[in-house]
Every structure is written in structure tokens, then in C-alpha cells.
Amino acid sequence: MDRQKLQIRLAAPRGFCAGVDRAIQIVEEALGKWGAPVYVRHEIVHNQHVVSRLESLGAVFVEELDDCPPDRPVVFSAHGVPKAVPAEAERRNLVYVDATCPLVSKVHVEAERHHKAGKEIVLIGHAGHPEVIGTMGQLPDGAISLIETEEDAQAFEPKDSANTAFVTQTTLSVDDTASIVAILQDRFPGIATPHKEDICYATTNRQEAVKAMATGCDLFLVIGAETSSNSKRLVEVALRAGATDSRLVASAADVDWDWFDGVGTLGLTAGASAPEDLVQGLIAACRARFDIEVEHVTTAKETVTFKLPRVLTAEV
């Protein structure tokens, strides 16, 4: 009996970005330097498969510093933390390593610069996301106003419309953010903008790859976690760019194979915190069921790397 033919369009770039690579390596290096257990405040990156592997090596994930004993090191997640967190770690004399992505740290620095210049700051982002909590926590309460939607941008009323600035979460939809920024710039022509776009290169590259290949895809699968902002945006981008259907899955185990009824072309990518073995696992699961052909769609080459914190590389 002939098997259903399935063409898989495989996006590149996909999966781990430099910030995620660095954060995972920081936990691994901390375990190598200090031994287990090493505590990690919040998921180091938003992917349970990554978290589970690090737990097997001796990492212990907690939500607050109160859950960390005084005699063990703690790592802060890639999403960034409010200033109060390292301040509390220092007060308790904890050894800590900050794994905040350097591109998130750049947004923190921008926000502080605008605040020192006396500007009223708008943060475009999603309420409750750890990155947003971390960025807003760089400044005193009330110094940053959060805008999530175009409606929020229309309704925002600054104290001084001629003295405003905006920054953004790094993992947003490029197109959605552009629409919000356009409204703000139309309403407040003098609003200060980031020196360089805050949405990170990896988020942008992954969205551009999806846009380039979504048209003609009967189904588009994005491997990533429900808590991963950049992964959820890829699902939305695929639908807007022409995919008939688009879904987020944590791994091949979460696929409902009924989705493949009538599917001739599958688009496949992975969010910036999803490991490549999950991608290959899904391709293998497809190969076991269908007569597959894999087409690689490459829209950019990524060569970015970030240095590890000095506390891990310095000689004892």
C-alpha cells in the first residue's frame, strides 16, 4: 500500500539562539565549577526538555531566591530579573551568576538611559512575561508604562507628550510591534527610539524564515513551549504568511496525526529555546508514517556568540 507523500519545508535559522546557548552553558559550567546542586531562579529558558536535562545534571529550579540555600550558587534566567533580585542575593552573600541574554541587558541599559534623561518610558511587551517583569524592575515603580496592543498605544496618555521614549520586549512579533510603534510615532512624533531595534536578531530571523516558506503549507508546526513568547509568535506569523493551519507542539509526542489528513506540505521550525533533537525527532516520526522529502529553506546565516560571565571563566 502506497504511503502518503509528505514534503517537509524545514526552516533555517531555527532553534537555539546565542542567548539560549549561553544561558544553558552557564548552568553547565556552574555545575562543573561548583558541583551539584546549582540553583536556577526561574526556568533558565522556556523549554521543559532543556530544564529536565539540566535537572538530571544537578540543577534545581526555583521561583524565588527565598528557595535557595545560603551555601549554594544561583543562576538567574536568560529572561532577566528585576534589580531587586541581585541586590537581595548580595545582601544574603549568595554566589550568583546572571545568565540574562546580552540583548535583553541592552534593553535594560536603554531604559535606564531614558530614565536618567527624564523621559517617560513605554515598554511594548506582554504582561507577566519574565522578560517584561525584569525590564520594568530595572526602574522604580511607575517609571515604565506597559503597552501590549494597538488599542493600548491609542489610549496611552503621557504626562509630557514631548518627552517620551519606548523600548520593547525582544521576542515580539516584528509586524505587530511595527504597528504599535507607528501609532506611538504618529501620536508623539518626538518619541525617542532604540539606537537599534530591540527585537532580537534571532526572533526576527526565525519569523522571516517562516514568512518565506508558509505560503503553500497545508500545516505548519512550531516546536516550542506554551510559555515561549517567540515560539507562539511563529505560529501566528505562519498563519498570516499563508499557511492553512499552524500549531505549537512541545515535541513529536504532542502531535495529533489526524492533523495530517490531506496534508501534502508541512512547514517546520523551532523556537529559540527548543533543542534541535526535538526537530529531528519530529522528522523521524513523520518518516515512520509518511513517504517524506525534506526541503531546507535557509533565509539567513547566524554567527552570533556571547561570552560567558567572568565569574565562570576566571581562575580560582
Side-chain angles (χ1 to χ4, degrees):
M1 183 175 172
D2 287 343
R3 299 204 300 174
Q4 177 181 331
K5 291 187 181 297
L6 180 68
Q7 181 187 39
I8 299 176
R9 294 180 184 169
L10 183 59
R14 64 179 179 276
F16 282 177
C17 61
V20 165
D21 263 331
R22 174 179 179 268
I24 294 168
Q25 194 177 350
I26 283 172
V27 177
E28 293 169 343
E29 292 291 327
L31 285 162
K33 180 165 185 169
W34 291 298
V38 165
Y39 284 73
V40 184
R41 185 189 178 277
H42 192 69
E43 290 183 342
I44 188 67
V45 297
H46 281 155
N47 189 277
Q48 187 55 48
H49 295 268
V50 171
V51 168
S52 296
R53 186 181 72 80
L54 292 173
E55 283 177 332
S56 74
L57 298 176
V60 177
F61 290 86
V62 297
E63 283 306 308
E64 298 298 340
L65 281 185
D66 291 345
D67 301 317
C68 299
D71 59 341
R72 297 306 303 163
V74 59
V75 177
F76 302 150
S77 83
H79 311 99
V81 294
K83 274 192 171 177
V85 174
E88 173 64 10
E90 288 177 10
R91 187 191 71 77
R92 290 181 56 195
N93 292 318
L94 295 178
V95 173
Y96 69 88
V97 188
D98 189 352
T100 301
C101 173
L103 298 180
V104 174
S105 297
K106 178 181 79 72
V107 177
H108 293 177
V109 170
E110 281 178 349
E112 287 196 273
R113 177 171 56 83
H114 290 313
H115 184 63
K116 285 177 181 174
K119 293 188 181 297
E120 190 170 351
I121 302 164
V122 166
L123 169 62
I124 303 170
H126 297 299
H129 189 279
E131 184 183 328
V132 166
I133 293 169
T135 299
M136 295 186 79
Q138 300 305 302
L139 298 176
D141 287 348
I144 300 178
S145 299
L146 181 64
I147 284 181
E148 297 188 80
T149 64
E150 292 182 19
E151 290 73 23
D152 290 346
Q154 292 285 7
F156 174 64
E157 291 297 342
K159 299 180 186 71
D160 180 359
S161 61
N163 198 28
T164 56
F166 77 84
V167 294
T168 83
Q169 185 179 331
T170 63
T171 55
L172 300 176
S173 159
V174 173
D175 295 336
D176 286 349
T177 305
S179 299
I180 293 171
V181 168
I183 291 169
L184 291 173
Q185 290 181 320
D186 182 59
R187 293 189 64 214
F188 315 114
I191 192 167
T193 63
H195 285 319
K196 188 180 178 186
E197 188 176 60
D198 286 339
I199 296 176
C200 81
Y201 78 94
T203 297
T204 301
N205 287 349
R206 279 148 191 72
Q207 289 181 21
E208 289 302 317
V210 169
K211 287 178 187 177
M213 56 190 271
T215 300
C217 287
D218 305 302
L219 175 63
F220 209 110
L221 294 182
V222 177
I223 298 177
E226 271 293 335
T227 48
S228 168
S229 173
N230 78 86
S231 299
K232 291 169 85 169
R233 302 293 82 76
L234 291 173
V235 175
E236 297 165 358
V237 169
L239 284 172
R240 287 183 190 170
T244 304
D245 189 12
S246 182
R247 297 174 184 269
L248 180 69
V249 294
S251 69
D254 300 295
V255 172
D256 181 344
W257 297 101
D258 289 342
W259 299 339
F260 284 76
D261 288 348
V263 169
T265 302
L266 171 71
L268 180 58
T269 191
S273 48
E276 178 62 17
D277 62 332
L278 298 181
V279 176
Q280 296 306 318
L282 200 151
I283 292 172
C286 288
R287 183 175 286 112
R289 292 166 174 81
F290 309 111
D291 180 8
I292 72 167
E293 177 186 332
V294 179
E295 174 192 357
H296 296 266
V297 181
T298 303
T299 55
K301 298 283 188 184
E302 293 181 347
T303 58
V304 177
T305 57
F306 296 129
K307 292 181 180 178
L308 294 179
R310 197 169 298 159
V311 67
L312 292 175
T313 57
E315 295 295 327
V316 178

PDB file of all heavy atoms in Angstrom, residues 123-137:
ATOM      1  N   LEU A 123       7.094  50.524  27.515  1.00  0.00           N
ATOM      2  CA  LEU A 123       7.617  49.208  27.167  1.00  0.00           C
ATOM      3  C   LEU A 123       6.548  48.452  26.387  1.00  0.00           C
ATOM      4  O   LEU A 123       5.446  48.235  26.887  1.00  0.00           O
ATOM      5  CB  LEU A 123       7.998  48.419  28.423  1.00  0.00           C
ATOM      6  CG  LEU A 123       8.311  46.922  28.237  1.00  0.00           C
ATOM      7  CD1 LEU A 123       9.513  46.728  27.313  1.00  0.00           C
ATOM      8  CD2 LEU A 123       8.549  46.240  29.583  1.00  0.00           C
ATOM      9  N   ILE A 124       6.861  48.092  25.150  1.00  0.00           N
ATOM     10  CA  ILE A 124       5.958  47.276  24.345  1.00  0.00           C
ATOM     11  C   ILE A 124       6.270  45.816  24.661  1.00  0.00           C
ATOM     12  O   ILE A 124       7.399  45.351  24.450  1.00  0.00           O
ATOM     13  CB  ILE A 124       6.136  47.566  22.843  1.00  0.00           C
ATOM     14  CG1 ILE A 124       5.906  49.054  22.555  1.00  0.00           C
ATOM     15  CG2 ILE A 124       5.175  46.716  22.009  1.00  0.00           C
ATOM     16  CD1 ILE A 124       6.290  49.477  21.144  1.00  0.00           C
ATOM     17  N   GLY A 125       5.286  45.102  25.185  1.00  0.00           N
ATOM     18  CA  GLY A 125       5.534  43.718  25.581  1.00  0.00           C
ATOM     19  C   GLY A 125       4.281  43.065  26.119  1.00  0.00           C
ATOM     20  O   GLY A 125       3.187  43.626  26.070  1.00  0.00           O
ATOM     21  N   HIS A 126       4.458  41.856  26.665  1.00  0.00           N
ATOM     22  CA  HIS A 126       3.341  41.058  27.178  1.00  0.00           C
ATOM     23  C   HIS A 126       3.389  41.021  28.699  1.00  0.00           C
ATOM     24  O   HIS A 126       4.385  40.594  29.287  1.00  0.00           O
ATOM     25  CB  HIS A 126       3.388  39.635  26.617  1.00  0.00           C
ATOM     26  CG  HIS A 126       3.235  39.574  25.127  1.00  0.00           C
ATOM     27  ND1 HIS A 126       2.101  40.024  24.485  1.00  0.00           N
ATOM     28  CD2 HIS A 126       4.066  39.133  24.151  1.00  0.00           C
ATOM     29  CE1 HIS A 126       2.244  39.849  23.175  1.00  0.00           C
ATOM     30  NE2 HIS A 126       3.431  39.322  22.954  1.00  0.00           N
ATOM     31  N   ALA A 127       2.294  41.432  29.323  1.00  0.00           N
ATOM     32  CA  ALA A 127       2.211  41.450  30.784  1.00  0.00           C
ATOM     33  C   ALA A 127       2.475  40.062  31.351  1.00  0.00           C
ATOM     34  O   ALA A 127       2.000  39.058  30.832  1.00  0.00           O
ATOM     35  CB  ALA A 127       0.829  41.940  31.220  1.00  0.00           C
ATOM     36  N   GLY A 128       3.261  40.015  32.418  1.00  0.00           N
ATOM     37  CA  GLY A 128       3.519  38.762  33.096  1.00  0.00           C
ATOM     38  C   GLY A 128       4.680  37.963  32.560  1.00  0.00           C
ATOM     39  O   GLY A 128       5.128  37.010  33.212  1.00  0.00           O
ATOM     40  N   HIS A 129       5.186  38.309  31.365  1.00  0.00           N
ATOM     41  CA  HIS A 129       6.332  37.576  30.834  1.00  0.00           C
ATOM     42  C   HIS A 129       7.561  37.936  31.672  1.00  0.00           C
ATOM     43  O   HIS A 129       7.764  39.103  32.029  1.00  0.00           O
ATOM     44  CB  HIS A 129       6.567  37.940  29.361  1.00  0.00           C
ATOM     45  CG  HIS A 129       7.579  37.070  28.681  1.00  0.00           C
ATOM     46  ND1 HIS A 129       8.932  37.275  28.820  1.00  0.00           N
ATOM     47  CD2 HIS A 129       7.445  35.985  27.884  1.00  0.00           C
ATOM     48  CE1 HIS A 129       9.585  36.356  28.125  1.00  0.00           C
ATOM     49  NE2 HIS A 129       8.699  35.560  27.552  1.00  0.00           N
ATOM     50  N   PRO A 130       8.406  36.942  31.997  1.00  0.00           N
ATOM     51  CA  PRO A 130       9.572  37.234  32.851  1.00  0.00           C
ATOM     52  C   PRO A 130      10.466  38.349  32.316  1.00  0.00           C
ATOM     53  O   PRO A 130      11.024  39.124  33.097  1.00  0.00           O
ATOM     54  CB  PRO A 130      10.328  35.894  32.872  1.00  0.00           C
ATOM     55  CG  PRO A 130       9.298  34.864  32.587  1.00  0.00           C
ATOM     56  CD  PRO A 130       8.309  35.504  31.671  1.00  0.00           C
ATOM     57  N   GLU A 131      10.599  38.435  30.993  1.00  0.00           N
ATOM     58  CA  GLU A 131      11.438  39.500  30.437  1.00  0.00           C
ATOM     59  C   GLU A 131      10.845  40.874  30.732  1.00  0.00           C
ATOM     60  O   GLU A 131      11.569  41.823  31.048  1.00  0.00           O
ATOM     61  CB  GLU A 131      11.615  39.316  28.928  1.00  0.00           C
ATOM     62  CG  GLU A 131      12.558  40.341  28.328  1.00  0.00           C
ATOM     63  CD  GLU A 131      12.697  40.230  26.822  1.00  0.00           C
ATOM     64  OE1 GLU A 131      12.599  39.106  26.283  1.00  0.00           O
ATOM     65  OE2 GLU A 131      12.918  41.283  26.170  1.00  0.00           O
ATOM     66  N   VAL A 132       9.538  40.985  30.625  1.00  0.00           N
ATOM     67  CA  VAL A 132       8.857  42.249  30.909  1.00  0.00           C
ATOM     68  C   VAL A 132       8.976  42.591  32.393  1.00  0.00           C
ATOM     69  O   VAL A 132       9.258  43.744  32.764  1.00  0.00           O
ATOM     70  CB  VAL A 132       7.378  42.170  30.462  1.00  0.00           C
ATOM     71  CG1 VAL A 132       6.567  43.329  31.040  1.00  0.00           C
ATOM     72  CG2 VAL A 132       7.296  42.170  28.942  1.00  0.00           C
ATOM     73  N   ILE A 133       8.784  41.606  33.254  1.00  0.00           N
ATOM     74  CA  ILE A 133       8.934  41.828  34.699  1.00  0.00           C
ATOM     75  C   ILE A 133      10.349  42.303  35.009  1.00  0.00           C
ATOM     76  O   ILE A 133      10.559  43.238  35.791  1.00  0.00           O
ATOM     77  CB  ILE A 133       8.604  40.535  35.468  1.00  0.00           C
ATOM     78  CG1 ILE A 133       7.113  40.195  35.311  1.00  0.00           C
ATOM     79  CG2 ILE A 133       8.979  40.665  36.944  1.00  0.00           C
ATOM     80  CD1 ILE A 133       6.744  38.806  35.804  1.00  0.00           C
ATOM     81  N   GLY A 134      11.343  41.679  34.365  1.00  0.00           N
ATOM     82  CA  GLY A 134      12.728  42.062  34.586  1.00  0.00           C
ATOM     83  C   GLY A 134      13.037  43.464  34.109  1.00  0.00           C
ATOM     84  O   GLY A 134      13.721  44.234  34.800  1.00  0.00           O
ATOM     85  N   THR A 135      12.527  43.818  32.924  1.00  0.00           N
ATOM     86  CA  THR A 135      12.795  45.156  32.378  1.00  0.00           C
ATOM     87  C   THR A 135      12.122  46.230  33.219  1.00  0.00           C
ATOM     88  O   THR A 135      12.742  47.254  33.560  1.00  0.00           O
ATOM     89  CB  THR A 135      12.326  45.244  30.915  1.00  0.00           C
ATOM     90  OG1 THR A 135      13.052  44.286  30.129  1.00  0.00           O
ATOM     91  CG2 THR A 135      12.561  46.635  30.345  1.00  0.00           C
ATOM     92  N   MET A 136      10.857  46.018  33.587  1.00  0.00           N
ATOM     93  CA  MET A 136      10.158  47.018  34.400  1.00  0.00           C
ATOM     94  C   MET A 136      10.795  47.137  35.772  1.00  0.00           C
ATOM     95  O   MET A 136      10.765  48.208  36.388  1.00  0.00           O
ATOM     96  CB  MET A 136       8.680  46.657  34.498  1.00  0.00           C
ATOM     97  CG  MET A 136       7.967  46.719  33.148  1.00  0.00           C
ATOM     98  SD  MET A 136       6.177  46.471  33.203  1.00  0.00           S
ATOM     99  CE  MET A 136       5.627  48.094  33.748  1.00  0.00           C
ATOM    100  N   GLY A 137      11.429  46.039  36.223  1.00  0.00           N
ATOM    101  CA  GLY A 137      12.067  46.044  37.528  1.00  0.00           C
ATOM    102  C   GLY A 137      13.432  46.698  37.564  1.00  0.00           C
ATOM    103  O   GLY A 137      14.092  46.719  38.605  1.00  0.00           O
TER     104      GLY A 137
END
